[in-house]
Amino acid sequence: MSDYTNLELEIVGHTAVLTLANPPANTWTGASLAALTRLVGDLNANPEIYSLVVTGQGEKFFSAGADLKLFADGDKAVARDMARHFGEAFETLSQFRGVSIAAVNGYAMGGGLECALACDIRIAEEQVQLALPEAAVGLLPCGGGTQTLAWLVGEGWAKRMILCGERVDAQTALRIGLVEEVVGKGEAKRAALALAAQAAKQSPSSVAACKRLIQGARAGAPAEWLPVERELFVDLFDTEDQKEGVNAFLGKRTAQWRNR
């Protein structure tokens, strides 16, 4: 795999562990967002990768989002370029074919929280703070935050966080559905890897199909996706995973997935 600017990649079994590494606050740049887009594409092309865990370097920050110095001179060309990079990176992350888990180990602000929102599941450490504070500096979330946050927590809490600039702590995030689990300080990565290991027991072909169906409901009525659900069920019979899964169950052995 190629070099990824400000991103560190480690492979643990069938899980890719991505660490956001741009100290001191793990901020995003155009280069690192483009690198994320490339990285997810590379992982999608690797049949041995089933899951992706995203975390931040150090103890204080998951990611503080974009470096505001980029926008200090009001250059619209820079703004347009960064908005494109944010959109492409987090939409690509959202469409990762496997299970993506954000191990939120510190402050997740602005584009940092949007990165976590683009993942399938979020595990937060008990000390974290989460916010989309862009409106406080005359900006708005441009990496999907206005859409994905409202989908997860409802319009009211999305408006509290985006329009009123309200920060939420880990327990509030758990209560409103912004995260799925809260763990002790320093435990998010371990918990995410354990969940990724559970995902590795599932058929990768089935996971990809199910994820497409679950996320499809965001863009259309569930009734539109029911026929697609039935078709994708039948399509799985073209895969080696389907035959392996059923026969492994009947033979009382562990399935050996081929992700095809």
Side-chain angles (χ1 to χ4, degrees):
M1 294 185 182
S2 60
D3 178 60
Y4 305 111
T5 303
N6 298 135
L7 306 176
E8 296 178 355
L9 181 65
E10 176 188 8
I11 305 299
V12 180
H14 293 291
T15 301
V17 181
L18 168 62
T19 302
L20 311 180
N22 187 22
N26 300 327
T27 49
W28 290 104
T29 65
S32 62
L33 289 164
L36 176 62
T37 301
R38 293 196 309 274
L39 185 148
V40 175
D42 288 343
L43 295 179
N44 280 335
N46 185 344
E48 295 301 314
I49 299 299
Y50 300 167
S51 301
L52 170 61
V53 170
V54 183
T55 193
Q57 185 184 79
E59 296 183 355
K60 187 173 182 180
F61 287 95
F62 175 76
S63 170
D67 186 345
L68 287 180
K69 293 177 183 176
L70 291 170
F71 309 124
D73 61 1
D75 189 328
K76 289 183 67 175
V78 171
R80 183 171 288 108
D81 189 54
M82 285 297 293
R84 177 177 59 83
H85 281 306
F86 268 113
E88 289 177 352
F90 296 158
E91 287 170 28
T92 300
L93 176 57
S94 178
Q95 296 303 316
F96 170 64
R97 59 166 168 71
V99 179
S100 56
I101 306 167
V104 184
N105 59 306
Y107 286 97
M109 302 291 173
L113 179 54
E114 288 179 301
C115 177
L117 289 171
C119 293
D120 298 317
I121 299 164
R122 285 149 296 281
I123 298 174
E125 295 181 8
E126 60 190 1
Q127 79 282 1
V128 308
Q129 298 279 318
L130 306 100
L132 291 178
E134 286 87 347
V137 293
L139 300 172
L140 60 77
C142 67
T146 62
Q147 305 304 299
T148 51
L149 182 63
W151 178 263
L152 285 171
V153 305
E155 185 176 308
W157 269 102
K159 286 179 175 176
R160 286 181 68 144
M161 292 181 67
I162 297 173
L163 306 186
C164 301
E166 184 167 347
R167 290 187 183 187
V168 299
D169 60 19
Q171 288 300 329
T172 301
L174 181 65
R175 177 167 57 84
I176 66 177
L178 178 52
V179 303
E180 284 68 49
E181 183 179 356
V182 174
V183 296
K185 185 176 182 179
E187 293 296 311
K189 182 178 176 181
R190 178 199 58 78
L193 284 169
L195 193 58
Q198 287 182 231
K201 298 177 183 178
Q202 311 286 88
S203 157
S205 303
S206 296
V207 166
C210 290
K211 181 171 174 176
R212 178 186 168 192
L213 290 164
I214 293 169
Q215 295 192 173
R218 297 181 183 181
E224 297 175 16
W225 284 89
L226 292 175
V228 181
E229 181 183 71
R230 294 190 289 271
E231 287 303 312
L232 289 179
F233 174 79
V234 175
D235 288 347
L236 288 174
F237 283 76
D238 293 328
T239 69
E240 293 182 26
D241 280 355
Q242 181 276 323
K243 300 175 183 67
E244 170 63 11
V246 172
N247 285 288
F249 177 82
L250 295 175
K252 297 181 180 180
R253 60 177 175 81
T254 301
Q256 302 297 314
W257 305 120
R258 293 180 170 228
N259 196 15
R260 57 179 182 265

